[in-house]
Amino acid sequence: MFVKICGITNEEDALMATALGADAVGFVFAPSARQVSVGTVRDIVKRLPPEIVTVGVFRDQAPQLVIDTVLATGLRAAQLHGHESPQDAAEIRPYVQALIVGLAVGDPALAHVDSYGADALLLDSPVPGSGKVFDWALAEGVPVGRRMILAGGLTPENVGDAVREVQPWGVDTSTGVQADGDPLRKDPLKVQRFVRNARAAAPQPYHPEGHGPFDWADAGL
């Protein structure tokens, strides 16, 4: 189960999330209360273990800006979370190790998600970034056989149910693990419980004799 903690704004939370088992941390470059600067992210990325997937989150920003930001910060992945076109994605793809496209449940673009050439699809609520839960049954409309990261209002309390019902490839949270009274900080206990509950609910993969567990790095992330 691939676990991403998004909306990271400081080095302490980035290091804490990785220490507690997150596979990826996300930094928001789009207009948001959690928007971060290139300099801040560059300094944080330098301190993180090399196996951690560092993701820049962008929304309707020019492809060249996305490329320049990724190169300046050393990010491994870009997440396009607006109304970017497959052409925008194709322009960005050569400059990132992994590309994630974020789409809202019910978005007509889901029907041709393969045209984005993304490594993973992040499925969000109808109001992306709102932190609101959507009807998980709607995820049945997503094309099968793709790496799907479920987002939208996930918390330590509901992520287990979400994983069991939707059976996504990964999960993503931001608001669900924020510190009480401070949207710019993450709560270590919430992060720990989120990671633990997501992994506990994930189906145990079958490993044929002679083969080790699945390596997320092999998936391009």
Side-chain angles (χ1 to χ4, degrees), residues 32-207:
S32 163
R34 301 187 182 94
Q35 187 176 20
V36 287
S37 69
V38 168
T40 295
V41 175
R42 180 177 58 240
D43 292 342
I44 294 174
V45 168
K46 290 177 181 177
R47 298 291 308 277
L48 296 178
E51 67 272 14
I52 296 301
V53 181
T54 50
V55 184
V57 181
F58 304 89
R59 183 182 300 120
D60 299 325
Q61 287 153 289
Q64 191 58 54
L65 175 63
V66 176
I67 293 167
D68 291 344
T69 301
V70 168
L71 295 179
T73 54
L75 290 167
R76 292 182 60 188
Q79 178 179 318
L80 306 181
H81 212 100
H83 300 88
E84 293 85 359
S85 67
Q87 291 73 29
D88 293 331
E91 187 174 343
I92 295 165
R93 186 63 186 86
Y95 297 91
V96 294
Q97 294 182 38
L99 181 68
I100 301 170
V101 59
L103 296 174
V105 63
D107 190 325
L110 287 169
H112 56 85
V113 66
D114 291 344
S115 65
Y116 286 87
D119 297 281
L121 161 68
L122 186 140
L123 187 67
D124 207 345
S125 69
V127 184
S130 66
K132 296 186 181 300
V133 179
F134 64 88
D135 182 357
W136 296 323
L138 297 175
E140 295 178 359
V142 176
V144 299
R146 279 70 169 180
R147 298 188 193 102
M148 191 260 280
I149 302 171
L150 184 66
L154 296 183
T155 68
E157 289 72 31
N158 67 19
V159 68
D161 290 337
V163 169
R164 282 185 286 270
E165 180 171 337
V166 181
Q167 297 187 24
W169 179 78
V171 289
D172 177 288
T173 188
S174 180
T175 304
V177 294
Q178 75 181 25
D180 294 336
D182 189 352
L184 301 183
R185 308 287 302 199
K186 303 302 183 191
D187 184 313
L189 291 179
K190 291 180 181 179
V191 171
Q192 182 182 52
R193 288 169 53 218
F194 185 88
V195 174
R196 180 182 299 161
N197 293 346
R199 296 245 166 84
Q204 294 300 313
Y206 169 70
H207 305 306

